[in-house]
Amino acid sequence: MPSTVLQVALPRPLPQAFDYLPPAGEAAGADWIGCRVRVPFGRRALVGVVTGVGPAASGTPALKAVDARLDARPLLDGEAWDLLGFTARYYHAPFGEVWATALPGPLREGDPAPEVHPQRWRLTPSGLAALPTLRPGRPRRVAERLLIEGALEAASLDAAEAGSRDALRRLAERGLVEATHAPPPPRAVREPPELNDAQRAAASAIGAAKGFTPLLLEGVTGSGKTEVYLEAIRGCLARGRQALVLVPEIGLTGATLARLQAGLPVEVHAAHSGRSDGERARAFAAMASGAGRVLVGTRSAVFTPLPEAGLLVVDEEHDASYKQQDGVRYHARDLALVRGRSLGVPVVLGSATPSLESLKAAIGGRLGRLVLPKRARPGAQAPTVRVVDVRKRRLEGGLAPELVAALADTVARGEQALVFRNRRGYAPVLLCHDCGWSAPCRRCDAHMTVHAGGRRLVCHHCGATQPRPPACPDCGSLALQPQGQGTERLEEALQAALPEVPVVRVDRDTTAVKDGLARRLATLGDGPGVLVGTQMLAKGHDLPGLTLSAIVSLDEGLFSADVRAGERMGQLLVQVAGRAGRAARPGEVWLQTHHPEHPWLALLLSGGYPALAAALLAEREAARLPPYAHWALVRAEAPVEAAATAFLGAVVDTIAGGPGLSWSGPMPAPMARRAGRARVQLLLQAEQRPPLQAALAAAVPGWYDLPEARRVRWSLDVDPIDLL
Ligand code: ADP
Ligand code: ZN
Ligand code: ZN
């Protein structure tokens, strides 16, 4: 029996690597490290990654052998491999899970790394010579198309004329066409606008940066941050380096991708949820091979290998979607900074409304600061803001009459408006007007949301759904009324008030399909109309015809228990406001609230986001809240609360104290029950990161084996961004 074994990490919530023998006749050596292997695990086969070779752990029973080695060379090596190790250590996550998170689906499942460029077909020299002699028919038409277009994918030929694949096969048999994986020819580039002084200063600061240089690009909405990224990326390409641009999860990706592609002479690869798994795997392989030069992607793209990295950009760096909320709870912006340091390249964090973490770092001098103070389009100005006090007002479908009138004026001028409400569905609550009963979810601590024009109830937390009850289950009354407005109901009210123009709703329910958001925005076109929707609308869309933005209710944002409520409210308000008046026509912003005197609102109106952010930072510092403290949240869920509490009690016993380290809990989570499970949490707090990290490093590996762990689902969230 060979004395060395392969240590294999598996995509399972288990902290340790597993020992396997190499396949019969092969020897375990260092060249296996980083390569994928298929191994037997229990009754199934899993794909894992070799993390080491060494002597078998003593006392292990008879070891099984690896079924197959899947790579000759590692998919992730060098700096990209080290990033996985950092992520596993910092978030105290199993290495196998981190590795699986970093890979596109097909690679995680063991598929071979795809060809970098899709297979395309072209005429061979003999095909070119023979073309005039071909009989009229499909093969000849295919050959003619290839003559005109150069090289084409079989799929696009087939889309132009069904049956083309068959014709290709016959042409290939005669040696008249051949498959190629050569890169597509360079693209024509849109002429960039002439940068203004602030843009030019920012772009040259990025271009001049040597080595690791973290920079905060603080540009008001519409200030032209994308043009700065483009200029910086062109410089990076000219130096022969690769660039990675991270974008938030929903909404923005398609638009940003199109703008970057139009402004760059190379193919821009994309890795986001709108792309098929195959395309993501191809983008990964292209960047890893160096053939790909620019990648635009969401959160997990931060793990893509970049052997010739020159620039990392995180657009809308404040966006919460950079933080993964399940599995490995990493923050892509923070990892981008870690990568920038080990790669020795500049990292640009762009936002109109930077996170308090980044602002604090900028104030402390750890992030350089680049500012774009004005809107970029000639003539574009900051919008005017009106606060509508809706106390004791009669509203029409949730809207103040003067807002409805302003919307009517806007569309009458041929312009567009946006109405924002952070609640999808018809109404947030179904209420009995006679006894006060309101429809609860049986499995969650939450109300059910009314959907489908009032006919269905849906729980937004567990997905439970049921028809609306015909009568109140408590008192039998028929006076059941949907309370408040969701986007569906607003759409109805707006369409009734503005029957002449399209009212287009944009939320998770209307954009679930591929490219749904882009298609919804396209239905509006350039003509007059109204967009109504959630969060998705707040993100960087550039809609030149939009001149009015309205927030239907600011109040939930003002009174949430979340420590980040103020920051989020300010970001949302500024981003929604930022959609209006981006071109020559002036914009107006309407805010409906029952609390017009709220101090956060007053700060925003007098000094904008910077004033609010400064006040919130001072509050956080006084209260020793993040970013002036470091947190880790342990959550446990179980059918009975006692089991979850017992687990967290046992967790507390594993935590050795440390300087400035404290904890609160176990205590019920703000949402104490979800999907039929009790939720309990433990919050670890520390003044400095190292004692917290040391305590976790010592304790977490033991949590998997606690007897109490068997009765719960638990997770650890380092630097949590919400405590719900
Ligand atoms: P941001 O991302 O900062 O909100 P964008 O990059 O979307 O801003 O730019 C807003 C608009 O201004 C876009 O339509 C863009 O084409 C235009 N723009 C940007 N820079 C310039 C410039 N230097 N001159 C003219 N128009 C510009
Ligand atoms: Zn009732
Ligand atoms: Zn529920």
Side-chain angles (χ1 to χ4, degrees):
M1 184 175 267
S3 56
T4 48
V5 299
L6 299 166
Q7 289 142 7
V8 178
L10 296 170
R12 282 281 170 283
L14 300 164
Q16 73 277 28
F18 293 82
D19 287 345
Y20 285 90
L21 298 172
E26 291 184 50
D31 65 309
W32 284 75
I33 294 175
C35 292
R36 293 174 299 164
V37 288
R38 196 181 302 282
V39 298
F41 187 76
R43 253 179 266 168
R44 38 187 305 209
L46 288 180
V47 174
V49 65
V50 178
T51 55
V53 290
S58 59
T60 15
L63 290 177
K64 291 185 181 161
V66 161
D67 286 337
R69 176 174 178 166
L70 303 177
D71 301 311
R73 290 190 304 112
L75 290 176
L76 291 157
D77 58 4
E79 175 271 339
W81 176 256
D82 294 343
L83 179 69
L84 302 185
F86 174 87
T87 306
R89 286 191 304 281
Y90 185 82
Y91 294 102
H92 303 275
F95 186 88
E97 286 203 299
V98 173
W99 169 83
T101 302
L103 289 184
L107 299 180
R108 190 187 313 147
E109 265 126 51
D111 286 3
E115 292 286 349
V116 165
H117 294 289
Q119 188 182 55
R120 293 173 316 130
W121 293 86
R122 65 180 174 207
L123 286 176
T124 59
S126 47
L128 195 58
L131 204 160
T133 68
L134 292 178
R135 269 184 287 117
R138 193 173 290 137
R140 180 173 174 138
R141 286 197 297 278
V142 165
E144 282 169 348
R145 199 161 277 139
L146 293 177
L147 177 70
I148 295 162
E149 308 257 347
L152 289 172
E153 290 177 51
S156 65
L157 280 166
D158 233 25
E161 181 175 349
S164 292
R165 274 174 209 276
D166 210 42
L168 272 176
R169 193 176 43 75
R170 276 181 279 146
L171 290 167
E173 279 164 9
R174 297 166 57 190
L176 305 181
V177 300
E178 64 187 0
T180 163
H181 288 282
R187 296 163 186 260
V189 176
R190 171 186 61 86
E191 188 63 36
E194 192 176 336
L195 298 187
N196 59 39
D197 291 348
Q199 286 174 310
R200 203 167 320 113
S204 42
I206 300 166
K210 296 272 175 298
F212 173 54
T213 314
L215 295 164
L216 178 61
L217 176 63
E218 226 180 318
V220 301
T221 53
S223 60
K225 291 184 287 295
T226 311
E227 296 300 335
V228 174
Y229 303 151
L230 275 167
E231 185 63 18
I233 295 168
R234 284 189 288 260
C236 166
L237 293 173
R239 289 191 297 277
R241 317 299 298 179
Q242 295 173 304
L244 168 67
V245 182
L246 296 179
V247 293
E249 195 61 66
I250 338 167
L252 212 51
T253 344
T256 312
L257 182 64
R259 289 179 62 188
L260 293 178
Q261 182 61 85
L264 295 171
V266 298
E267 180 177 3
V268 175
H269 292 269
H272 60 85
S273 48
R275 290 294 162 119
S276 73
D277 280 355
E279 287 171 292
R280 292 167 93 162
R282 195 149 66 220
F284 181 99
M287 298 309 284
S289 72
R293 305 311 291 173
V294 181
L295 176 68
V296 177
T298 46
R299 189 172 61 225
S300 65
V302 75
F303 293 107
T304 311
L306 301 167
E308 296 166 16
L311 176 67
L312 308 179
V313 174
V314 184
D315 189 25
E316 309 288 348
E317 65 87 27
H318 63 277
D319 197 281
S321 73
Y322 286 123
K323 175 81 166 152
Q324 175 137 316
Q325 301 285 16
D326 53 17
V328 182
R329 291 168 163 77
Y330 66 96
H331 201 303
R333 174 199 62 216
D334 297 350
L335 290 183
L337 289 166
V338 168
R339 271 198 101 169
R341 181 183 296 278
S342 40
L343 290 164
V345 302
V347 183
V348 178
L349 309 182
S351 179
T353 53
S355 64
L356 296 191
E357 278 74 10
S358 297
L359 280 176
K360 173 171 177 265
I363 292 165
R366 283 176 291 117
L367 270 181
R369 208 165 187 170
L370 308 171
V371 180
L372 306 180
K374 290 200 317 276
R375 290 196 164 181
R377 279 222 182 111
Q381 298 151 13
T384 55
V385 180
R386 301 191 42 171
V387 177
V388 185
D389 180 355
V390 293
R391 280 176 296 189
K392 300 188 192 150
R393 293 290 305 278
R394 199 187 54 80
L395 302 179
E396 299 168 17
L399 304 169
E402 62 266 44
L403 172 55
V404 176
L407 288 165
D409 287 348
T410 301
V411 297
R413 286 194 304 269
E415 297 167 2
Q416 300 176 341
L418 178 163
V419 176
F420 174 87
R421 174 77 174 101
N422 210 8
R423 198 62 100 96
R424 67 192 165 88
Y426 190 77
V429 181
L430 183 68
L431 183 79
C432 171
H433 199 54
D434 285 343
C435 78
W437 173 88
S438 52
C441 175
R442 259 175 257 129
R443 309 172 66 220
C444 303
D445 259 358
H447 285 125
M448 296 199 85
T449 302
V450 187
H451 274 253
R455 295 187 301 280
R456 290 200 74 71
L457 299 177
V458 178
C459 174
H460 285 187
H461 304 284
C462 71
T465 152
Q466 64 184 68
R468 165 191 174 149
C472 172
D474 272 11
C475 75
S477 161
L478 296 179
L480 290 180
Q481 294 175 355
Q483 285 292 305
Q485 269 74 32
T487 46
E488 233 187 75
R489 195 177 201 177
L490 279 169
E491 178 189 21
E492 194 180 274
L494 287 163
Q495 192 66 82
L498 308 166
E500 315 282 301
V501 299
V503 173
V504 177
R505 173 158 60 96
V506 173
D507 57 29
R508 205 135 50 82
D509 298 321
T510 64
T511 58
V513 296
K514 188 176 168 181
D515 298 330
L517 178 59
R519 276 197 248 159
R520 296 300 291 178
L521 291 175
T523 47
L524 192 62
D526 296 333
V530 180
L531 283 167
V532 50
T534 57
Q535 203 75 324
M536 280 184 168
L537 279 182
K539 306 199 177 183
H541 312 289
D542 189 28
L543 302 162
L546 204 144
T547 56
L548 185 156
S549 286
I551 298 184
V552 172
S553 170
L554 212 51
D555 298 348
E556 290 142 29
L558 295 173
F559 293 97
S560 149
D562 184 349
V563 283
R564 286 168 204 268
E567 179 182 356
R568 286 201 176 139
M569 194 279 296
Q571 288 165 345
L572 182 73
L573 194 153
V574 171
Q575 297 287 347
V576 171
R579 296 313 113 213
R582 289 164 71 86
R585 285 170 286 192
E588 50 186 313
V589 177
W590 290 67
L591 308 172
Q592 294 195 149
T593 176
H594 289 87
H595 304 275
E597 74 302 332
H598 194 286
W600 290 347
L601 202 50
L603 281 165
L604 274 170
L605 295 177
S606 61
Y609 183 77
L612 175 65
L616 293 172
L617 267 177
E619 267 176 34
R620 299 245 197 119
E621 182 167 23
R624 307 313 302 170
L625 293 170
Y628 296 92
H630 302 282
W631 284 2
L633 185 71
V634 196
R635 297 182 174 92
E637 293 187 6
V640 286
E641 185 183 320
T645 307
F647 169 76
L648 292 175
V651 162
V652 168
D653 292 338
T654 66
I655 295 171
L661 185 67
S662 63
W663 55 84
S664 39
M667 61 198 164
M671 176 175 283
R673 239 165 58 85
R674 185 159 78 195
R677 293 170 162 271
R679 307 170 78 234
V680 183
Q681 62 191 29
L682 173 71
L683 183 65
L684 305 173
Q685 298 148 289
E687 285 163 27
Q688 303 294 332
R689 254 186 240 286
L692 177 63
Q693 282 290 341
L696 290 173
V700 176
W703 297 352
Y704 293 85
D705 298 325
L706 289 172
E708 294 85 353
R710 264 175 273 148
R711 300 173 55 207
V712 303
R713 266 195 231 149
W714 64 269
S715 65
L716 169 64
D717 191 348
V718 176
D719 306 331
I721 63 164
D722 69 46
L723 304 185
L724 304 175

